[in-house]
Amino acid sequence: MENRNLVYVLTGIAVSLIVVIGGLVLLLSSGGGGDGGNGGDSSPTLAARQQGELRLPGGDPITLDPACASDIESASYIYEIFSGLVGYDKELQLIPDIAERWDTSDDGTVYTFYLRTSVLFHDNSRRVTAGDFKFSMERALNPDTQSSVADVYLDDLVGVDEYIDGSAQEVSGIKVIDPDTLELTIKAADPVFLPKLSYPTAFVVDKNQVEGSSCFEASWTFKANGTGPFELAEWDLSNAIILEPNQNYYLDPKPQLSKVTYLLSGGSSFTMYQNDEIDVTGVGKDNVESVRDPSSDLNAEYHISTTLSVSYIGFNVDREPLNDPDVRRALAMAIDKEFLTDNLYKGLLNPANGILPPEMPGFNENLDGVTFDAEAASDLLDSTGKKDELDGIKILTAGQGAAPDDVLQAITAMWEQNLGISVEVEQEDFGLLQSDLQDKNFDMFSIGWIADYPDPQNFLEIKFHSGSSNNDTGYSNPDVDDLLDQASGDVDAQERIDLYQQAEQLIVDDQPWIPLFYGTSSILVKPDVKGYEAAPFAIPSLRYVSVDR
């Protein structure tokens, strides 16, 4: 999932960082947990707080349509409002959700899901059936819906290719056995098929509400009729999103909050937190040193944890001179990540040596990454004879400010000082940036990726397999493809890890990305808020939270 311009919202908190998550995009701008807001100290006029209400900072989502979500901010709301066959709990264990249980065939290609009979849509108009899941998945895959991510997470299903190209009227691998039984058949055994079903593209939506809509015609989402732990009570653009508990929610624990209010406008969320207007805020580089001080009143409310995310600079490997791995390596060697994390991010982030973040299964402590060496970087670039071709190339990033964020300014300054080249930073609206990445309309780009589920496939195959539609850089290495294909097959757990580590080393050697930083969640939480934890990736987390007020 991708992060926007170094700003991602995880578990309801606006965080300034650029990261893309599996299917979700993440942004990085101030680092390790943003202070939020638009720079001022004003805040919106607030109604009286009700007992048991949680108030959070937030932003307007790009979409609340599960078929279309590709950024972490949108997903953080979608995971609370909608649900699917399976999901993750707060221990990050894959659990049954609307599917009470499932069977798998001996060859691992046929999954039979048995649905709970008690799951209702939020408006209580009817219960969820297997037919609703078939409709929802086929809608996500339908080219008319214009989803950029559905085929990434549902491509295992038999008949997807024929359905997308129009030669079939349905996905043959999605079969309704009866109202309570759904059968999914996949092309080959896949160890991450169930985790992929935890992504929003497999969530159930109300056919009566969404039929005929697309990712660009989604007025229905302002009154979204989901099945998740919380109902969408109100979405007032640029002002507030209000969620209320689903009184008929079917899993335990059931929602304990009386109301969740996301404040979408106002100034600094850090100031709003100090004024008791919100209950949680990110802590970025401007305030972290004061919060870390043991004598600070806020120190006891400060929490920092790792996220399964990485921010990076991506290259268009089909465009000269960036199609030369030595040019890409020289650019990587010229960046002093330690300086950036220590001086700009105040230790909130950790320098990234590779693609997989430290808490991800398969993380390789012995990975041979690219280290900072200004002199060697300059010599390597000179040896390519392509230094002059780099002058004036652009790096895209999400943003609309008068100037790029501090980190990109520092990186371009390092390139000028260490390599003698001038690189222009071009800011774009996040939607336009996503479009340009899909169209390969860029030289370089800065963004991030955060996991959709805790498996290396979610990073390595989705972002680097030559056949992946989410391979933004156009990177292609037959040896990498072969290793990734083997890892997705019928192999034991340790062999999978070994294959992914071999693939990651080849990718890092080729440098289609410059991995910059591994992400963290840096937050303040009010003492009367219980059970609030910043998950390392997006999950439905608010049902575990209560407010003793």
Side-chain angles (χ1 to χ4, degrees), residues 5-10 12-18 26-38 57-58 267-271 273 278 280-288 302 345 348-349 520-524:
N5 194 14
L6 271 103
V7 176
Y8 69 89
V9 175
L10 194 57
I13 300 176
V15 181
S16 263
L17 281 173
I18 296 182
L26 249 150
L27 305 162
L28 292 170
S29 69
S30 65
D35 299 330
N38 302 316
S268 163
S269 66
F270 189 84
T271 300
Y273 183 90
I278 55 176
V280 182
T281 184
V283 181
K285 59 186 176 62
D286 294 335
N287 294 299
V288 69
Y302 181 57
Y345 282 129
L348 281 170
L349 299 177
T520 62
S521 174
S522 173
I523 61 173
L524 290 169

Side-chain angles (χ1 to χ4, degrees), residues 105-126:
S105 64
D106 291 342
D107 66 356
T109 63
V110 181
Y111 289 76
T112 305
F113 295 90
Y114 304 94
L115 307 188
R116 302 175 196 273
T117 59
S118 59
V119 180
L120 302 174
F121 285 102
H122 286 159
D123 66 358
N124 297 324
S125 60
R126 61 190 184 90

Side-chain angles (χ1 to χ4, degrees), residues 207-431:
K207 176 179 180 178
N208 297 334
Q209 184 179 53
V210 310
E211 194 163 25
S213 65
S214 74
C215 293
F216 301 98
E217 299 170 328
S219 58
W220 67 269
T221 58
F222 286 89
K223 298 182 185 230
N225 187 31
T227 54
F230 288 87
E231 303 177 9
L232 178 62
E234 181 180 353
W235 180 6
D236 183 2
L237 278 172
S238 302
N239 187 25
I241 285 178
I242 297 174
L243 305 183
E244 294 178 350
N246 176 3
Q247 301 298 334
N248 296 310
Y249 190 60
Y250 46 90
L251 296 182
D252 291 320
K254 305 196 183 307
Q256 305 164 70
L257 298 167
S258 65
K259 182 181 183 182
V260 182
T261 301
Y262 293 89
L263 300 178
L264 312 183
S265 62
S268 163
S269 66
F270 189 84
T271 300
M272 294 172 69
Y273 183 90
Q274 290 177 304
N275 292 340
D276 291 325
E277 295 170 336
I278 55 176
D279 299 310
V280 182
T281 184
V283 181
K285 59 186 176 62
D286 294 335
N287 294 299
V288 69
E289 290 182 329
S290 64
V291 170
R292 284 173 177 159
D293 185 343
S295 65
S296 168
D297 292 339
L298 296 176
N299 182 257
E301 301 168 21
Y302 181 57
H303 306 269
I304 187 165
S305 58
T306 59
T307 64
L308 293 178
S309 66
V310 61
S311 61
Y312 64 94
I313 291 171
F315 297 105
N316 185 337
V317 301
D318 294 323
R319 183 172 291 186
E320 298 239 2
L322 299 172
N323 59 345
D324 186 335
D326 285 340
V327 170
R328 303 195 296 264
R329 178 169 287 269
L331 289 165
M333 292 170 65
I335 299 174
D336 188 347
K337 301 173 194 174
E338 297 278 356
F339 174 86
L340 296 175
T341 55
D342 292 345
N343 293 278
L344 292 186
Y345 282 129
K346 309 291 178 65
L348 281 170
L349 299 177
N350 298 309
N353 189 46
I355 309 300
L356 300 178
E359 300 301 317
M360 174 67 73
F363 174 73
N364 185 3
E365 294 181 354
N366 300 313
L367 184 77
D368 184 15
V370 174
T371 56
F372 171 63
D373 189 328
E375 183 176 354
S378 180
D379 290 344
L380 180 60
L381 183 58
D382 287 343
S383 73
T384 68
K386 299 177 180 179
K387 177 178 176 178
D388 291 344
E389 297 178 48
L390 285 172
D391 261 327
I393 67 170
K394 296 179 180 180
I395 180 168
L396 299 185
T397 187
Q400 298 175 325
D405 67 81
D406 295 345
V407 172
L408 279 183
Q409 290 186 69
I411 289 173
T412 54
M414 289 176 181
W415 284 336
E416 185 166 8
Q417 176 177 324
N418 299 329
L419 300 177
I421 62 171
S422 177
V423 175
E424 179 184 346
V425 178
E426 183 173 318
Q427 298 183 87
E428 295 185 335
D429 172 85
F430 184 59

Side-chain angles (χ1 to χ4, degrees), residues 464-466 475-487 499-507 509-510:
F464 299 103
H465 194 290
S466 64
Y475 173 71
S476 178
N477 181 328
D479 292 333
V480 169
D481 286 351
D482 183 58
L483 290 165
L484 295 176
D485 289 341
Q486 290 182 58
L499 290 165
Y500 280 127
Q501 289 184 344
Q502 292 175 55
E504 183 183 21
Q505 185 64 68
L506 291 178
I507 294 165
D509 290 345
D510 289 340

Side-chain angles (χ1 to χ4, degrees), residues 14 18 36 52 54 57 83 130 194 205 288 295 298 300 333 380 411 435 438 443 475 517 525:
I18 296 182
L54 179 70
S83 55
L194 286 174
V205 293
V288 69
S295 65
L298 296 176
M333 292 170 65
L380 180 60
I411 289 173
S435 177
Q438 290 175 8
D443 299 318
Y475 173 71
F517 314 109
V525 183

